[in-house]
Amino acid sequence: MSIETSSTGNDDLSKRLKILTEEERKEYYGLPPFTNNDRESFFTLSETELGLLTSMRGYLSKSIFILQLGYFKAKKRFFKIVSDNLVIDENIRYIIKKYFPRKKKFEYEITKKTLIGQKKTILRLFSYKTFSEGMDKILDKAKEVVSLDTNPKYIFTELFRFCHYNCIILPSYSRMQQIISKVIVEEENRVYDGLLSMIEKELQDEILQLLTTESNNRYLLTLIKKPAKGFTYKQVVS
């Protein structure tokens, strides 16, 4: 179980569980790398989706909606729409050429309120919940999974599947790190307390004494350990 260090000053966020590799993070959270065939598939609108455009003003607003819709179809999540992103620019150009061929200009002049409204429309269209709406269910599932296996990547994968099948947007990576760290610590404490309750008080005290630090911040258990001189029965059991 490895820990990665963050540049934030918050103690709770400065050390997080490293669950995914950079490549895996891109796979789960990165913009989908659409090919021309992908664009044709994900940016082609159904009759219902075309009908949603009628309530929107301006081709730029409609283009951003189609972009968000296509991304959601591909990854079941939303992305920050920013200018000067070559991937986003290329997709926007494709959408404008396909649906608004007479228009040449494209910018990201769209209000936050409009973006939020579009996201709500897409969520309703796919019967999806935000991760905050499904957080209680996600936590319950995490507690269930960690009782079977405390491997962080295994827990992440199971939560991803759970979110997918229950139509809940996957929480951000940092939030997943917090959730998984929390349930692992809780499970370790639960197991520890359970084992401790089965041990007599006298033996508990002896174990705790072995786990108490002595001089030079070394544990007493460390001080009484020594390498065996050989592999005779006497040396092994001593």
Side-chain angles (χ1 to χ4, degrees):
M1 187 184 301
S2 57
I3 299 292
E4 64 180 10
T5 301
S6 169
S7 59
T8 64
N10 191 317
D11 288 340
D12 293 334
L13 301 180
S14 61
K15 291 183 178 179
R16 292 179 177 152
L17 216 58
K18 185 175 182 182
I19 304 169
L20 304 176
T21 65
E22 283 302 313
E23 196 63 32
E24 289 168 335
R25 285 180 66 171
K26 289 179 182 178
E27 183 179 345
Y28 282 103
Y29 292 102
L31 283 167
F34 285 163
T35 63
N36 285 330
N37 287 336
D38 291 331
R39 293 187 185 94
E40 183 63 29
S41 175
F42 290 109
F43 294 139
T44 296
L45 304 183
S46 66
E47 289 298 320
T48 299
E49 294 162 353
L50 282 169
L52 294 173
L53 294 180
T54 59
S55 62
M56 300 176 190
R57 295 181 179 179
Y59 76 96
L60 291 174
S61 177
K62 293 177 181 180
S63 298
I64 295 296
F65 174 77
I66 296 170
L67 180 74
Q68 290 203 89
L69 182 62
Y71 283 162
F72 195 86
K73 289 176 182 178
K75 300 292 284 281
K76 294 300 184 290
R77 62 181 293 104
F78 296 111
F79 297 91
K80 187 175 182 180
I81 308 302
V82 295
S83 58
D84 299 324
N85 182 304
L86 295 179
V87 175
I88 292 177
D89 287 351
E90 192 172 4
N91 289 327
I92 286 288
R93 285 193 182 95
Y94 175 89
I95 290 168
I96 291 178
K97 183 178 180 181
K98 180 179 177 69
Y99 291 97
F100 315 103
R102 294 183 180 180
K103 306 294 184 180
K104 301 298 180 183
K105 178 184 177 183
F106 73 99
E107 296 175 357
Y108 301 97
E109 296 174 355
I110 183 169
T111 66
K112 184 177 180 181
K113 181 179 179 181
T114 299
L115 282 172
I116 292 173
Q118 290 183 358
K119 289 177 181 179
K120 288 181 178 179
T121 298
I122 293 170
L123 289 172
R124 286 195 299 270
L125 182 64
F126 288 90
S127 299
Y128 251 74
K129 298 182 180 69
T130 63
F131 73 85
S132 58
E133 292 173 318
M135 185 55 73
D136 289 342
K137 290 183 178 180
I138 294 173
L139 284 171
D140 288 342
K141 181 63 178 179
K143 291 174 183 177
E144 175 189 326
V145 174
V146 78
S147 66
L148 302 175
D149 194 327
T150 58
N151 182 289
K153 187 171 289 188
Y154 172 78
I155 300 171
F156 181 96
T157 303
E158 290 301 306
L159 291 182
F160 172 79
R161 290 175 180 167
F162 177 81
C163 287
H164 177 74
Y165 288 116
N166 288 275
C167 296
I168 302 171
I169 292 180
L170 184 71
S172 68
Y173 184 54
S174 60
R175 185 61 63 90
M176 288 289 277
Q177 288 173 310
Q178 293 170 356
I179 292 170
I180 294 173
S181 295
K182 181 176 183 292
V183 296
I184 288 176
V185 170
E186 289 178 350
E187 178 65 11
E188 289 176 345
N189 290 337
R190 185 189 69 81
V191 172
Y192 175 80
D193 291 341
L195 291 173
L196 211 58
S197 66
M198 294 185 288
I199 300 174
E200 294 181 358
K201 182 64 170 62
E202 183 178 350
L203 183 55
Q204 286 185 31
D205 293 339
E206 292 180 2
I207 292 174
L208 290 174
Q209 185 178 359
L210 290 174
L211 297 176
T212 301
T213 56
E214 295 292 327
S215 60
N216 299 322
N217 293 321
R218 291 198 296 174
Y219 291 96
L220 182 59
L221 181 63
T222 304
L223 296 176
I224 65 175
K225 289 194 301 182
K226 61 180 180 179
K229 295 179 180 179
F231 293 99
T232 63
Y233 174 79
K234 182 179 179 180
Q235 287 294 336
V236 170
V237 300
S238 63

